[in-house]
Amino acid sequence: MNIFRLTGDLSHLAAIIILLLKIWKSRSCAGISGKSQLLFALVFTTRYLDLFTSFISLYNTSMKLIYIACSYATVYLIYMKFKATYDGNHDTFRVEFLIVPVGGLSFLVNHDFSPLEILWTFSIYLESVAILPQLFMISKTGEAETITTHYLFFLGLYRALYLVNWIWRYYFEGFFDLIAVVAGVVQTVLYCDFFYLYVTKVLKGKKLSLP
């Protein structure tokens, strides 16, 4: 494992922990898109079904279990424990417009036409756009809490670091996964405007708002 993948994993984990702590400490999920979190839970569920079929390493298995557990814990906090604070009126992105095309694409473009491989491909495609309901919610409400922007920053940083990881693996290991790379590029592009606003506003103590 190279340093870029490791830091990418840690950045991803940091994003998840930041979000969970934000909800738990404030006893509120205001400003958080439950639909994005449901999509991420679906991403991890369909991607890590290989937990039942193969073992790569203790690190690999542990991270997969942590991602799955944290994603469902987040969904539980939003839709059950702190449901009264969930702003469903602004979380109105039509997720079927993401799930249906992604599902169709995973059947058409994959590495192997088998159930586990199709579900893995589905998770890769879906993760690239799963943040859209959250970005849509921020643009609709006009601004985001600082802690929410930190969550989004580390989530975007994770994808950017994974792009560097794939470049590293191509040059030093001869490994190249076109599906993962293209999906990763799409996801990183979605964060570009956010990264700019994060650096120019949030890091200077200002509130972030998306156009």
Side-chain angles (χ1 to χ4, degrees):
M1 179 188 300
N2 61 69
I3 188 64
F4 300 109
R5 179 178 176 181
L6 178 60
T7 52
D9 287 344
L10 293 178
S11 178
H12 193 185
L13 186 59
I16 295 172
I17 292 174
I18 286 172
L19 183 63
L20 280 171
L21 288 177
K22 182 268 180 193
I23 296 174
W24 187 258
K25 286 189 174 182
S26 66
R27 317 297 287 182
S28 169
C29 53
I32 303 298
S33 169
K35 291 186 176 181
S36 270
Q37 297 310 311
L38 281 171
L39 291 179
F40 281 124
L42 182 58
V43 165
F44 297 135
T45 302
T46 53
R47 180 175 303 172
Y48 298 143
L49 289 174
D50 61 349
L51 282 168
F52 300 102
T53 61
S54 61
F55 176 80
I56 298 175
S57 68
L58 181 60
Y59 170 83
N60 183 274
T61 299
S62 298
M63 293 301 283
K64 288 177 179 178
L65 291 174
I66 289 172
Y67 290 150
I68 293 173
C70 288
S71 66
Y72 279 99
T74 304
V75 169
Y76 167 76
L77 292 178
I78 293 174
Y79 286 101
M80 297 187 72
K81 189 169 183 64
F82 302 123
K83 182 179 180 180
T85 66
Y86 169 56
D87 188 7
N89 292 327
H90 287 119
D91 193 16
T92 56
F93 192 95
R94 300 284 296 277
V95 294
E96 61 268 30
F97 292 157
L98 300 179
I99 294 176
V100 173
V102 162
L105 186 61
S106 64
F107 273 93
L108 296 174
V109 184
N110 52 66
H111 295 309
D112 179 43
F113 199 75
S114 63
L116 282 180
E117 188 63 30
I118 290 173
L119 288 171
W120 177 87
T121 306
F122 171 81
S123 76
I124 295 296
Y125 293 150
L126 184 60
E127 185 183 21
S128 69
V129 294
I131 200 62
L132 283 176
Q134 180 66 66
L135 297 178
F136 180 78
M137 187 176 184
I138 293 175
S139 67
K140 195 171 182 180
T141 57
E143 62 182 25
E145 293 181 25
T146 301
I147 194 67
T148 304
T149 62
H150 293 333
Y151 158 72
L152 291 172
F153 172 78
F154 279 102
L155 202 59
L157 181 62
Y158 140 68
R159 294 315 307 176
L161 286 168
Y162 254 65
L163 287 181
V164 182
N165 160 63
W166 288 321
I167 293 173
W168 175 279
R169 294 190 66 184
Y170 175 74
Y171 279 103
F172 293 96
E173 302 175 16
F175 175 84
F176 182 75
D177 188 329
L178 183 61
I179 289 176
V181 171
V182 171
V185 169
V186 170
Q187 187 173 0
T188 305
V189 168
L190 291 177
Y191 284 93
C192 285
D193 282 346
F194 172 80
F195 280 142
Y196 172 76
L197 293 173
Y198 184 86
V199 172
T200 58
K201 289 190 176 183
V202 178
L203 294 185
K204 294 181 179 180
K206 302 177 182 177
K207 278 201 170 185
L208 180 143
S209 61
L210 292 179

